């Protein structure tokens, strides 16, 4: 009941946050699930799985999941009862992103995809490399915030989270554009 009352506030917040941070739905997104923001990388040099190294100042596409699409409870013809139901849909989204990169319609400055997730095992299965967030207050707060958003936006059709799901740690995920095109560009 309380979730239904506060969800509209967070839907509005998601729209404001997206506008402020230039987060937009990926072009030709088949389900509207994948959103991104392009910006310069500001961390330390980062080795990627294809042997290249992402340098500070090079551009990344920061990936986001559209919570408002998931909140509806049905994505395409899939009823969202658990996170695993979304995996084939995200694979289609990745194929679309790879086609954009291959065809030169993704910003050519982008060297890698990046994001933060509580779903490390799934993201790894999709071909991303994982890196733990540095432990501390920021990682703890981010995990709590992501868990809260997951609770707010989980549709009524979703099953209760498992203990292993609740115990997951927030992790960074990375994939070079070269690896994206090799894995999903066909």
């Amino acid at each position: 009941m309380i979730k239904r009352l506060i969800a509209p506030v967070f839907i509005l917040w998601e729209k404001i946050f997206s506008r402020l941070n230039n987060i937009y739905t990926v072009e030709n997104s088949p389900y509207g699930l994948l959103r991104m923001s392009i910006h310069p990388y500001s961390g330390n040099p980062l080795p990627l799985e294809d042997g290249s190294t992402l340098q500070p100042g090079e551009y990344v596409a920061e990936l986001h999941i559209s919570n408002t699409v998931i909140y509806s409870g049905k994505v395409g013809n899939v009823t969202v009862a658990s996170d695993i139901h979304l995996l084939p849909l995200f694979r289609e989204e990745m194929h679309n992103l790879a086609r954009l990169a291959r065809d030169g319609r993704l910003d050519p400055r982008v060297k890698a995809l990046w994001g933060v997730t509580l779903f490390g095992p799934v993201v790894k299965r999709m071909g991303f490399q994982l890196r733990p967030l540095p432990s501390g207050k920021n990682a703890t707060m981010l995990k709590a915030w992501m868990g809260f958003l997951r609770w707010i936006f989980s549709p009524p059709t979703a099953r209760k989270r498992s203990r292993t799901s609740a115990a997951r740690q927030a992790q960074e995920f990375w994939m070079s554009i070269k690896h994206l095109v090799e894995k999903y560009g066909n």
Side-chain angles (χ1 to χ4, degrees):
M1 173 70 164
I2 191 163
K3 186 166 111 169
R4 187 173 279 159
L5 294 173
I6 62 175
V9 173
F10 284 92
I11 290 170
L12 177 61
W13 166 247
E14 178 123 332
K15 290 177 182 179
I16 293 169
F17 182 81
S18 293
R19 181 162 290 169
L20 290 173
N21 291 285
N22 198 28
I23 300 169
Y24 54 91
T25 302
V26 172
E27 179 185 338
N28 296 332
S29 173
Y31 301 102
L33 274 174
L34 200 56
R35 299 169 50 77
M36 71 179 176
S37 172
I38 296 174
H39 56 81
Y41 172 63
S42 60
N44 294 322
L46 178 70
L48 296 171
E49 75 286 339
D50 67 356
S52 66
T53 300
L54 183 65
Q55 298 293 335
E58 291 184 315
Y59 280 76
V60 294
E62 181 178 344
L63 300 182
H64 296 266
I65 293 172
S66 175
N67 291 316
T68 55
V69 169
I70 292 172
Y71 182 69
S72 71
K74 194 160 178 72
V75 181
N77 61 357
V78 174
T79 300
V80 182
S82 74
D83 304 323
I84 201 71
H85 291 128
L86 296 172
L87 186 57
L89 306 180
F90 279 115
R91 283 201 174 107
E92 285 185 59
E93 295 277 359
M94 295 301 292
H95 283 289
N96 176 58
L97 197 54
R99 278 190 302 274
L100 293 174
R102 183 192 65 213
D103 297 345
R105 293 180 17 224
L106 181 66
D107 187 326
R109 300 174 298 173
V110 173
K111 303 290 184 207
L113 306 176
W114 171 78
V116 177
T117 186
L118 292 176
F119 303 103
V122 172
V123 171
K124 186 172 185 169
R125 193 178 314 160
M126 291 182 65
F128 286 91
Q129 67 186 74
L130 297 174
R131 200 170 82 158
L133 287 176
S135 59
K137 187 170 77 170
N138 286 345
T140 302
M141 289 174 44
L142 185 58
K143 180 184 177 191
W145 176 248
M146 290 174 79
F148 177 73
L149 288 177
R150 186 171 179 212
W151 174 74
I152 285 288
F153 289 111
S154 63
T157 54
R159 289 180 282 202
K160 187 177 175 185
R161 289 193 314 164
S162 68
R163 286 187 199 169
T164 56
S165 175
R168 289 189 185 131
Q169 297 301 309
Q171 296 178 298
E172 291 182 348
F173 61 88
W174 293 92
M175 182 184 291
S176 71
I177 295 300
K178 179 181 175 189
H179 185 66
L180 170 72
V181 171
E182 287 171 358
K183 183 165 181 65
Y184 292 102
N186 53 2

